Amino acid sequence: MRVGPKAQGLVGRKRGALCLLVSRLVLTVSAPAEVRRRVLRPVRSWMDRETLALADRHFRGLGGGVPGVGQAPGRVAFISEPGAFSYADFVRGFLLPNLPCVFSSAFTQGWGSRRRWVTPAGRPDFDHLLRTYGDVVVPVANCGVQEYNSNPKEHMPLRDYITYWKEYIEGGYSSPRGCLYLKDWHLCRDFPVEDVFTLPVYFSSDWLNEFWDALDVDDYRFVYAGPAGSWSPFHADIFRSFSWSVNVCGRKKWLLFPPGQEEALRDRHGNLPYDVTSPALCDTHLHPRSQLAGPPLEITQEAGEMVFVPSGWHHQVHNLDDTISINHNWVNGFNLANMWRFLQQELCAVQEEVSEWRDSMPDWHHHCQVIMRSCSGINFEEFYHFLKVIAEKRLLVLREAAAEDGGGLGFEQAAFDAGRITEVLASLVAHPNFQRVDTSAFSLRPKELLQQLREAVDAAVAP
């Protein structure tokens, strides 16, 4: 068992020693990895030499820092034609500057979910969903109940949720049970029976799902479904990951704030808002800096369209219609440094919260790592194993000088990935709290892996 992947970080939340010690554990049911890969039909990205050189220059210019955007652009970029937009275009225009964009419905028109889950009128096909998934137990959040900066969840069979959803519609989009929203359903992991979607090439360098697929226990692929009026409170995605979201049917309204803007929205106690549309944000006594925040970047996402959410962008999302969406969280070399910085902040928050027990608690540093994993879903030790799994695959490509066949990972992509892992792993190995982790039982010691990466990267860039 492990923490659910949508668990929020400690920084900016209402915290207490008790809540630090309580985790929400989700029992995961795994589908065989080979079945999951067949169903999703992934296509890996292939970085060409020019894009590799551009990306390397960009990260050298950061000098070990992380990219950030102070203000939202005036409007979101809209990508209309699949044939006219390459992976290199996505790197230049959106991954490197860490900016959002919207892809047209033309990018998803061949998806099985868009054919099978939707009626000719463009509404959720409840009959098909019941026939195919009716007995599957799904997580459902109550949008009308605030629990810290999120909503409490229950689990129910999909047929019961669809019965509720139909009654909610018939009741004029109202129910004594409140507004319930199916969220974070691992459909493709737990029930891979049909061709749900084809992974877009732009998002195929996806280390989170590559890591969990290798362990064959979990994933960060989700289905959301809910009536008009259901919504997700203000948040940033897990581990400061990227995310992409496609409306299979229905429309969503997105409110996005670039990294750093959320700081002006904190209340006088330092907490982030639950709802950025609340009139309470105008109360300067409660939110003394809210007037310093710029307006959000607003997106109306139509059926079939795909939204790319950059790393660290806080956002709030409202369903304008009865909506079903497919969503992924993903990390790769372009936002790995953001993830590492986030994990360091999480550990600092844990250590501050339990600092009064530092002298009296045996093995205090170890317990901080345990608490961090319980609340955040990962700690420094697991982060190392995450880096190790990805690094070993990239080292294999580099050592074999894999042929550039257009369908595999590609030498340039592997070289880029290895370079980014090297930078972050060096910082992790040097971190005093990681140095307290017992690595004696590791199959490959961190310094040995770091040396292998450095040698491989040097060989990759040698003339």
Side-chain angles (χ1 to χ4, degrees):
M1 292 190 297
R2 64 183 290 273
V3 169
K6 298 295 283 188
Q8 293 297 306
L10 287 164
V11 177
R13 286 192 323 198
K14 182 177 180 180
R15 301 192 297 267
L18 179 61
C19 80
L20 283 171
L21 298 171
V22 178
S23 65
R24 291 182 177 175
L25 299 179
V26 178
L27 180 64
T28 62
V29 182
S30 300
E34 64 273 13
V35 173
R36 183 161 60 248
R37 285 192 292 268
R38 183 176 68 250
V39 170
L40 297 178
R41 295 190 298 156
V43 178
R44 289 194 180 276
S45 61
W46 177 31
M47 180 179 288
D48 58 34
R49 293 182 181 180
E50 182 180 352
T51 306
L52 171 61
L54 175 67
D56 281 344
R57 287 196 301 272
H58 173 85
F59 283 98
R60 283 198 302 271
L62 289 176
V66 296
V69 179
Q71 302 217 345
R75 61 182 181 85
V76 65
F78 186 79
I79 316 301
S80 58
E81 295 296 331
F85 190 73
S86 68
Y87 179 75
D89 292 331
F90 184 60
V91 169
R92 294 187 187 94
F94 305 101
L95 284 181
L96 288 177
N98 201 42
L99 291 172
C101 65
V102 177
F103 296 82
S104 76
S105 60
F107 287 82
T108 65
Q109 63 183 0
W111 286 17
S113 55
R114 290 195 60 199
R115 295 192 308 271
R116 300 185 183 97
W117 296 5
V118 185
T119 69
R123 299 181 60 80
D125 191 333
F126 293 134
D127 291 338
H128 172 81
L129 295 172
L130 284 170
R131 287 193 306 270
T132 311
Y133 310 111
D135 294 328
V136 179
V137 175
V138 296
V140 176
N142 190 332
C143 295
V145 179
Q146 180 178 352
E147 187 176 84
Y148 298 107
N149 270 26
S150 189
N151 307 120
K153 283 184 179 177
E154 59 180 308
H155 288 76
M156 64 178 68
L158 180 65
R159 67 176 65 257
D160 290 351
Y161 179 71
I162 289 180
T163 297
Y164 155 81
W165 193 346
K166 290 179 177 179
E167 292 173 350
Y168 191 81
I169 295 171
E170 292 168 359
Y173 289 87
S174 179
S175 169
R177 300 175 64 185
C179 183
L180 305 183
Y181 190 9
L182 190 163
K183 302 176 72 173
D184 302 328
W185 175 20
H186 295 260
L187 179 144
C188 293
R189 179 199 68 195
D190 297 341
F191 206 76
V193 298
E194 57 177 286
D195 180 18
V196 174
F197 68 94
T198 302
L199 184 63
V201 66
Y202 316 106
F203 313 137
S204 58
S205 180
D206 177 352
W207 299 4
L208 281 184
N209 289 301
E210 183 178 348
F211 173 66
W212 286 110
D213 284 352
L215 299 185
D216 200 17
V217 295
D218 208 347
D219 70 355
Y220 285 80
R221 308 175 180 102
F222 309 101
V223 171
Y224 282 42
S230 52
W231 66 295
S232 293
F234 188 61
H235 68 284
D237 287 322
I238 185 74
F239 307 146
R240 296 305 180 260
S241 57
F242 298 131
S243 65
W244 61 260
S245 176
V246 171
N247 285 348
V248 175
C249 63
R251 298 178 302 144
K252 292 179 183 289
K253 181 173 75 172
W254 295 73
L255 302 173
L256 298 101
F257 291 83
Q261 283 282 312
E262 75 280 359
E263 296 301 322
L265 299 175
R266 294 186 184 274
D267 65 19
R268 57 193 178 95
H269 303 292
N271 299 313
L272 289 171
Y274 169 71
D275 178 3
V276 293
T277 68
S278 170
L281 265 72
C282 298
D283 186 337
T284 55
H285 177 68
L286 293 175
H287 296 270
R289 302 179 59 207
S290 60
Q291 294 181 344
L292 300 177
L297 181 63
E298 186 169 328
I299 298 171
T300 299
Q301 180 189 14
E302 302 290 339
E305 292 182 348
M306 181 163 54
V307 170
F308 165 64
V309 181
S311 176
W313 282 62
H314 283 69
H315 50 282
Q316 185 167 307
V317 190
H318 297 258
N319 289 327
L320 303 178
D321 304 319
D322 297 311
T323 302
I324 302 174
S325 64
I326 295 174
N327 313 272
H328 278 206
N329 293 103
W330 49 297
V331 169
N332 60 26
F334 291 96
N335 63 341
L336 182 64
N338 297 37
M339 180 180 181
W340 171 226
R341 181 174 66 170
F342 168 75
L343 295 179
Q344 294 175 81
Q345 292 170 339
E346 291 291 277
L347 180 60
C348 287
V350 171
Q351 292 175 333
E352 180 181 352
E353 193 64 39
V354 298
S355 58
E356 61 185 288
W357 293 291
R358 180 166 187 159
D359 295 330
S360 60
M361 181 185 294
D363 209 0
W364 180 81
H365 287 283
H366 170 73
H367 286 295
C368 287
Q369 292 283 340
V370 172
I371 294 169
M372 176 187 174
R373 187 182 188 280
S374 177
C375 292
S376 305
I378 193 172
N379 59 15
F380 281 16
E381 179 178 346
E382 190 166 36
F383 183 58
Y384 169 73
H385 290 299
F386 165 70
L387 295 177
K388 175 178 173 289
V389 167
I390 305 303
E392 288 180 333
K393 292 185 176 184
R394 303 309 183 264
L395 287 170
L396 183 62
V397 173
L398 294 176
R399 286 167 179 163
E400 294 180 350
E404 298 176 356
D405 58 5
L409 180 67
F411 184 86
E412 284 78 14
Q413 183 73 57
F416 171 75
D417 291 352
R420 303 288 75 74
I421 295 171
T422 301
E423 292 176 359
V424 170
L425 180 58
S427 178
L428 174 66
V429 168
H431 198 287
N433 284 284
F434 183 73
Q435 292 175 356
R436 293 186 172 95
V437 173
D438 182 7
T439 62
S440 60
F442 288 7
S443 60
L444 182 62
R445 298 293 181 86
K447 289 184 178 179
E448 294 172 358
L449 176 60
L450 182 59
Q451 181 62 29
Q452 291 182 21
L453 281 165
R454 284 173 168 160
E455 291 173 357
V457 170
D458 288 344
V461 300

